[in-house]
Amino acid sequence: MNSPLFDLMRVLAIMPLLSLTLPASESIPPPAAPPPPASLEWWREARFGLFIHWGPVSLKGTEIGWSRGAEVPEVEYDRLFRDFNPTRFDARAWARTAKAAGMRYLVLTSKHHDGFCLWDSQYTDYDVMNTPFGRDVIKELSAACRKEGIVFCTYHSICDWWHPDYPLGSPGGKSQKPSPNMDRYNTYLKNQVAELVHNYGPLGILWFDGEWESPWNPDRALDLYRHCRQLQPSLIVNNRVGKGREDMAGTTARGAFAGDYDTPEQRIGKFQNDRPWESCITICQQWAWKPNDPLKTLKQCLQTLVTCAGGDGNLLLNVGPMPDGRIEPRQVERLQEMGHWLKRYGKSIYATRGGPFRPGAWGVSTHHGKTVYVHVLDWQNQDTVRLPAIEKRIVSASVLTGGKVNCTQSAQGIELRVPVKSRQEIDTVIQLRIEGPASEIAPR
Ligand code: FHN
């Protein structure tokens, strides 16, 4: 994608919103500048990140934020921090787990909807320094990530069902605070964002969430985005800073202010190569720690990653660490299995773009330079995968995952045959070398 054009398109997309939100008499503030193309490029090439939802709620094994005032009475939920003492927390182990999984970035909940802060904040006492643990988790983890070459990022909730100034409270935003002050809360929110960037940055991404409630509006969204841009020009900000996210599809409504990328949730995004996107999906079922939470199979995890890449998107795969500070061993093992696959076949994922063959029942395709990778995820009891014709000649065909492929190309299309013994249960990766850049082939 031609980034300057893409950035121009985004700025133009923002303009209508500005005219909607400001009376004609007022001067229109400058549009929020997007991050430099290089910022988005490292992230797009990374393709795979670790999402971590953690906090004192892990002591209960219920969902972070959402169980406050629901399965767990508010008073009890808000007292959990007094018992939060994850003595087996080892930031280096977490960073190494991400690295061994083949992940290139890590996004930790600095503050979820429950208001608890996992760093030493000067703006609240409701933070990890006032627990028996008394250590700055974000400081330790950001440092460990740097040592392991993992880009550190934070998830930060705009809504805050604990903070007295934020108008809505638990359960799930369904109650009203007695004397809220949204302007004062907005200052608190921006001050904490500044703390995270100044004290633990530079960050890769500020992953906002909790934007859907009525106290948040497009003006505050644009102001917060500009604030992030001023704090760190290279910072990537997702579309949940704004009000344009289309629910769990994570796409952005036309004309809405949209941050830097789209965020499908608990599903794989559709093929979209004109605006970056990243699916956030749990490795189990709950975002936060839950004992015996069903764990996705290696096939589910890998095919999810491959299908995201084939759609030209990233995968942010979530774990919920235990109350003692460890990531559950079986989840660590699943991530290591993903890393083993990526060690052998990662060149078909990292630094690739989706297409040129759009996803189909057979699987997806990715490309880099003059190479197209056809990821056959389901042979559908057929001997042949049939793909649309391309104008560029296929110079050679091989099977990255081992074995032989018979490849025929004509004006009618491409046919690929791989003997049964060479087909993989999870992903048979066929490598097609073509006579010119695959990026010149329009998706089909
Ligand atoms: O309410 C949150 C939820 O707890 C979780 O954090 C997900 C992951 O991004 N986002 C919101 C639901 O859309």
Side-chain angles (χ1 to χ4, degrees), residues 51 53 66 112-113 155 207 209 212 240 248 265 287:
F51 210 176
H53 280 64
W66 294 95
H112 202 265
H113 316 328
Y155 160 115
W207 211 101
D209 198 13
W212 58 83
R240 300 188 187 195
M248 295 306 177
E265 178 169 329
W287 292 101

Side-chain angles (χ1 to χ4, degrees), residues 1-7 9-10 34-49 102-105 151 153 204-205 234 236 259-262 270-279 305-306 308-316 342 346-355 366-368 443:
M1 184 66 207
N2 178 344
S3 300
L5 175 63
F6 169 59
D7 294 336
M9 281 160 56
R10 279 169 20 77
S39 282
L40 281 168
E41 272 324 294
W42 80 258
W43 173 73
R44 253 187 154 142
E45 293 189 358
R47 282 296 184 233
F48 192 25
M103 294 161 156
R104 299 287 169 87
Y105 60 104
V151 177
C153 316
I205 301 165
S234 62
I236 299 173
D260 302 322
Y261 71 90
D262 290 348
K270 294 189 176 10
F271 184 92
Q272 174 181 290
N273 68 354
D274 59 353
R275 178 171 159 79
W277 60 271
E278 168 199 72
S279 279
L305 171 62
V306 171
C308 284
D312 202 40
N314 284 25
L315 172 63
L316 188 60
L342 284 163
K347 71 176 183 176
S348 66
I349 302 292
Y350 300 124
T352 65
R353 296 299 300 269
T366 57
H367 67 269
H368 178 91

Side-chain angles (χ1 to χ4, degrees), residues 317-384:
L317 188 61
N318 180 82
V319 297
M322 300 190 285
D324 69 1
R326 290 179 298 147
I327 297 172
E328 189 184 17
R330 64 179 182 137
Q331 296 183 32
V332 172
E333 190 184 330
R334 180 71 77 244
L335 293 174
Q336 285 170 342
E337 292 169 335
M338 293 184 80
H340 293 151
W341 189 92
L342 284 163
K343 264 201 177 55
R344 298 184 65 183
Y345 314 120
K347 71 176 183 176
S348 66
I349 302 292
Y350 300 124
T352 65
R353 296 299 300 269
F357 306 110
R358 291 176 183 274
W362 50 272
V364 298
S365 67
T366 57
H367 67 269
H368 178 91
K370 296 181 181 180
T371 303
V372 173
Y373 300 99
V374 177
H375 298 266
V376 184
L377 307 177
D378 183 349
W379 286 89
Q380 302 173 84
N381 300 318
Q382 307 274 332
D383 264 345
T384 308

Side-chain angles (χ1 to χ4, degrees), residues 1-122:
M1 184 66 207
N2 178 344
S3 300
L5 175 63
F6 169 59
D7 294 336
L8 174 64
M9 281 160 56
R10 279 169 20 77
V11 167
L12 292 175
I14 293 170
M15 296 309 283
L17 173 72
L18 294 175
S19 60
L20 287 175
T21 53
L22 292 167
S25 57
E26 289 187 35
S27 66
I28 293 181
S39 282
L40 281 168
E41 272 324 294
W42 80 258
W43 173 73
R44 253 187 154 142
E45 293 189 358
R47 282 296 184 233
F48 192 25
L50 181 61
F51 210 176
I52 302 178
H53 280 64
W54 197 41
V57 69
S58 56
L59 290 160
K60 298 298 287 183
T62 56
E63 189 58 288
I64 191 166
W66 294 95
S67 60
R68 179 178 185 266
E71 299 94 312
V72 183
E74 254 180 59
V75 171
E76 181 186 351
Y77 189 109
D78 294 350
R79 279 203 183 121
L80 291 170
F81 79 106
R82 298 178 184 176
D83 299 322
F84 189 56
N85 192 16
T87 53
R88 298 186 69 176
F89 170 68
D90 176 348
R92 204 71 189 269
W94 285 19
R96 284 175 173 158
T97 294
K99 188 173 185 177
M103 294 161 156
R104 299 287 169 87
Y105 60 104
L106 181 153
V107 182
L108 169 70
T109 50
S110 46
K111 184 197 78 168
H112 202 265
H113 316 328
D114 62 9
F116 182 77
C117 300
L118 272 176
W119 79 99
D120 181 7
S121 175
Q122 69 180 77

Side-chain angles (χ1 to χ4, degrees), residues 153-165:
C153 316
T154 59
Y155 160 115
H156 202 73
S157 180
I158 289 166
C159 71
D160 189 322
W161 298 330
W162 170 87
H163 198 286
D165 284 338

